[in-house]
Amino acid sequence: MKLDKDNLAKILSLWLHVEALTPFDLDKNDLIEQMPGSLNQPRSSLFTWDNEDTTQRDSLEIELQKLPKEEDRTDFFRMFTVCIGIVNRNEFIDRAEHLLRSNLLDISQDLSDFSAEEQRTDDLICLGVLRANHFGKISMGTVEPSYALCELVNLTNKQKGVESFEFLTDVAQILHTSSVRQLSLDSETTAQKISEKDRQFYGMLIHNLNKKELKPDETRGYKLIKDLNPPQNFLNPRKIDELCKSWLEKAGLGPSYRIWVIVNYYERPKPLYFDFMNSPYIEILEKIKKRVQTEPPTRVLSPVSERFFSLAYDNPDRNDLLANSKKFLEMTNPERMIFGRWPSDIKNYLVPWLFQP
């Protein structure tokens, strides 16, 4: 099949739907272990609550009031990771399947490729995150809805006949902006560096104290940390609850939910990612999809990718290996193993068939 812009756009749309609708499972133990630079597990804390039991939310509020104000001299700094809207995967799948059916999307493979029944587990997923710094101040740029949430919100809007968007990054930006407004967040300020090596990190200015600057009871590794965020950015667990309810309502989920707040302690600033939440392919696929609107596929894709996509959509030569076991045995016959150099005719390869999903 000749790969044209319309066919490639359909392939990318299908791929994006599947990536967004298969979020990563969330496990509290893995989450703490994956945080880079954590000093040790005992110095990590976890507060969890749900819509029925808010005991640990109250405990977190007490701990937040004990945090230093404006600046601190310490040999570590803390970061709060707030997982907002933790829901059961099965509830998410039910909602996604309902929306896909009701929207009657023009991609007939959506429901089959989504494989809802195969995804059903007792695991949890996260609808969004944010981070607060050593002083409990939320960094405005870290408020990040998941693409799973964006997909549900977009499909829900389409079902209601209100504005929906072609690109999930647009939905994410709108949800981010509305969330920042709901939490009453403002931009961080700037501060003059004490030395050239000072770093601005999540709304903090971090200055490593040299030997002359240390007090008698301080050791090497101590640092002076200054807070650059305005007072209204202080982490308010009750506002987080309200934001969570707002997200659930927009996605058609709830009323049950959980919220986790993980507190990790670090010796030095390192980039912190939300790689436990979203597929890494979504933003790349959306960039390709945008380019395809104005450029031919031959300019957007490499020759290998172009051939792959040409074979991936509406291809009469595709075989259902589950329905045709004889064809599967034929394609994986050891006689098809190549012993010469690449490239060669792909139909003679045994190796590519071993990677078929």
Side-chain angles (χ1 to χ4, degrees), residues 304 338 340-346 349:
V304 174
I338 56 169
R341 292 190 175 189
W342 296 59
S344 181
D345 191 336
I346 196 169
Y349 291 0

Side-chain angles (χ1 to χ4, degrees), residues 84-138:
I84 309 168
I86 298 170
V87 298
N88 292 317
R89 174 176 285 277
N90 286 345
E91 181 186 359
F92 172 84
I93 291 172
D94 287 341
R95 180 61 178 164
E97 190 172 21
H98 168 73
L99 289 170
L100 287 173
R101 292 187 187 281
S102 62
N103 277 296
L104 298 175
L105 298 177
D106 61 353
I107 304 171
S108 60
Q109 291 175 285
D110 262 34
L111 283 169
S112 60
D113 282 26
F114 175 44
S115 303
E117 294 308 314
E118 295 178 17
Q119 288 196 62
R120 294 193 180 279
T121 66
D122 295 327
D123 295 312
L124 303 171
I125 65 167
C126 179
L127 297 181
V129 287
L130 61 81
R131 280 209 168 93
N133 66 18
H134 185 78
F135 302 93
K137 301 289 185 62
I138 300 171

Side-chain angles (χ1 to χ4, degrees), residues 25-233:
D25 293 334
L26 187 67
D27 181 271
K28 62 183 70 174
N29 296 317
D30 292 342
L31 183 61
I32 292 174
E33 292 174 359
Q34 288 174 4
M35 292 296 180
S38 181
L39 295 180
N40 48 58
Q41 290 304 317
R43 295 190 70 176
S44 298
S45 305
L46 176 66
F47 298 86
T48 67
W49 68 89
D50 56 39
N51 54 302
E52 295 181 349
D53 184 358
T54 60
T55 304
Q56 291 196 31
R57 184 191 70 183
D58 300 336
S59 300
L60 175 61
E61 289 178 326
I62 294 172
E63 293 302 314
L64 288 170
Q65 294 304 317
K66 299 177 183 178
L67 295 179
K69 313 293 184 186
E70 298 184 1
E71 69 176 43
D72 191 22
R73 297 173 72 100
T74 178
D75 59 346
F76 67 89
F77 63 90
R78 64 177 65 79
M79 291 294 299
F80 296 81
T81 299
V82 184
C83 297
I84 309 168
I86 298 170
V87 298
N88 292 317
R89 174 176 285 277
N90 286 345
E91 181 186 359
F92 172 84
I93 291 172
D94 287 341
R95 180 61 178 164
E97 190 172 21
H98 168 73
L99 289 170
L100 287 173
R101 292 187 187 281
S102 62
N103 277 296
L104 298 175
L105 298 177
D106 61 353
I107 304 171
S108 60
Q109 291 175 285
D110 262 34
L111 283 169
S112 60
D113 282 26
F114 175 44
S115 303
E117 294 308 314
E118 295 178 17
Q119 288 196 62
R120 294 193 180 279
T121 66
D122 295 327
D123 295 312
L124 303 171
I125 65 167
C126 179
L127 297 181
V129 287
L130 61 81
R131 280 209 168 93
N133 66 18
H134 185 78
F135 302 93
K137 301 289 185 62
I138 300 171
S139 294
M140 192 166 68
T142 68
V143 181
E144 184 175 325
S146 71
Y147 285 120
L149 173 64
C150 294
E151 180 78 358
L152 286 193
V153 170
N154 209 36
L155 290 173
T156 299
N157 288 345
K158 187 177 293 186
Q159 182 190 44
K160 294 179 179 178
V162 299
E163 185 179 20
S164 59
F165 295 87
E166 183 176 359
F167 297 99
L168 290 180
T169 46
D170 294 334
V171 183
Q173 183 58 48
I174 290 172
L175 286 175
H176 167 81
T177 302
S178 64
S179 300
V180 165
R181 189 180 302 114
Q182 185 172 346
L183 294 172
S184 305
L185 304 180
D186 203 351
S187 302
E188 62 189 57
T189 60
T190 57
Q192 186 174 359
K193 292 183 177 181
I194 300 174
S195 73
E196 287 301 318
K197 294 184 179 180
D198 291 354
R199 293 188 60 181
Q200 196 161 325
F201 182 74
Y202 288 96
M204 301 177 289
L205 182 69
I206 300 178
H207 169 67
N208 291 312
L209 298 169
N210 59 43
K211 189 174 182 180
K212 294 180 179 179
E213 295 171 320
L214 293 173
K215 295 180 180 180
D217 60 338
E218 296 175 342
T219 59
R220 183 180 176 182
Y222 261 70
K223 48 190 69 69
L224 173 65
I225 306 176
K226 293 187 176 183
D227 182 24
L228 304 179
N229 276 309
Q232 64 265 32
N233 285 26

